[in-house]
Amino acid sequence: MEQNFIYYIALLLLVIIGFLVVKKMASCLIKSIITVVLIAVAVAIYWLYLR
């Protein structure tokens, strides 16, 4: 159970950092790329560790 909690905290930090980075960026293309990368990382974390 503690293992999953650590992954959820890491995922939450990833989302917060991603949001802050996207907020600072101006280009829509860069925002889209960052969003796709964050979603891919979140799916990978789910697929590898939480499944």
Side-chain angles (χ1 to χ4, degrees):
M1 178 91 179
E2 288 182 29
Q3 192 80 5
N4 286 345
F5 186 68
I6 292 170
Y7 291 124
Y8 287 128
I9 290 175
L11 184 60
L12 181 62
L13 287 174
L14 181 70
V15 169
I16 291 171
I17 291 170
F19 178 75
L20 292 175
V21 167
V22 169
K23 190 175 175 183
K24 299 288 183 189
M25 298 289 174
S27 172
C28 186
L29 179 61
I30 293 174
K31 288 180 183 180
S32 299
I33 292 171
I34 291 173
T35 303
V36 169
V37 168
L38 289 176
I39 290 172
V41 169
V43 168
I45 288 173
Y46 173 76
W47 186 259
L48 295 174
Y49 299 110
L50 302 176
R51 183 171 59 113

